[in-house]
Structure formats: C-alpha cells, structure tokens
Amino acid sequence: QVQLVESGGGLVHPGGSLRLSCAASGQTFIDYRMAWFRQAPGQEREFVAWIIRGGIGTFYADSVKGRFTISRDDAKNTLYLQMNSLNPEDTGVYYCAAGLLGDGSTSRGYKYWGQGTQVTVSS
C-alpha cells in the first residue's frame, strides 16, 4: 500500500505560478513511477506528467510542456509539480499517482491515488 497526500493548490491569477507537493508513505517510494493527473469540471481525468525513480526520466503532456516541471525527492518521499505561466485551462483538481507497470500516460498505469488538490486559475 502507498498513501498519497497532495498539497499546494489554490487560487492564482493567469500567468502566475504554483508548486504542488505529494507526500507518500507506505511502501518504498523510490520504486514507483509517479505522475500528476488533473480533472477539470465535467471532463475526464487527463495525464499531466510522469517521472521515474531518481528523476532520470520524465514525460509531459503537450499542453503543459515547457510550463510545468515534475520532480521528486526520493529521500523525502515527495513528488512535486512546479507550474508556471498558468492559464484558466489549467484549472482543475490535481492528483498524484503511483504505479509500477503499464502505460505511464494513462490512469491504467497507476494503482495508488491521492485525494487531489484544487487549482483555480482566474482573474
């Protein structure tokens, strides 16, 4: 079992920045591929970014590439998402997820999920 708790969401103006965190506990964090997903109201959950152990590999959705940075601190069992140049289309609940197998860019690739943190981008 892996327990995940997100934090850092909030209200930000367009063009602003936020940094999300996801604290993990339970099984060995370092072994897991970690990811961020988001879900806007009335829409399906969508992939944002993933990162593998040690941070030696990352992958981003086209919609966030160049603006968001995923990182992890395996010593602290913590995942991060630095979000810059935010726009209203980035609004949604952001979830962190942990998985070992499967397609890292879809929900099916993750077994454990956090409860989510709300990000609202509005003027």
Side-chain angles (χ1 to χ4, degrees):
Q1 286 282 345
V2 176
Q3 293 78 42
L4 303 171
V5 179
E6 302 94 336
S7 61
L11 174 64
V12 63
H13 293 309
S17 299
L18 278 177
R19 189 193 195 202
L20 305 183
S21 299
C22 173
S25 61
Q27 293 186 5
T28 307
F29 175 79
I30 194 172
D31 291 336
Y32 285 83
R33 181 185 61 227
M34 301 296 297
W36 290 98
F37 286 75
R38 66 187 182 186
Q39 188 168 19
Q43 298 186 22
E44 294 185 355
R45 190 172 299 186
E46 68 170 351
F47 166 76
V48 174
W50 60 247
I51 186 169
I52 60 175
R53 61 183 294 170
I56 60 175
T58 59
F59 184 74
Y60 296 89
D62 287 343
S63 59
V64 306
K65 199 173 297 182
R67 300 188 298 122
F68 291 11
T69 302
I70 188 172
S71 62
R72 61 191 293 166
D73 186 336
D74 290 336
K76 295 182 178 180
N77 287 359
T78 303
L79 175 72
Y80 302 100
L81 185 68
Q82 177 67 43
M83 305 186 293
N84 299 327
S85 301
L86 285 161
N87 59 61
E89 289 70 38
D90 296 315
T91 295
V93 179
Y94 282 68
Y95 300 90
C96 70
L100 292 172
L101 302 172
D103 185 350
S105 300
T106 70
S107 299
R108 293 187 299 274
Y110 299 89
K111 184 175 182 180
Y112 302 107
W113 294 82
Q115 84 290 347
T117 185
Q118 177 71 44
V119 172
T120 303
V121 184
S122 175
S123 55

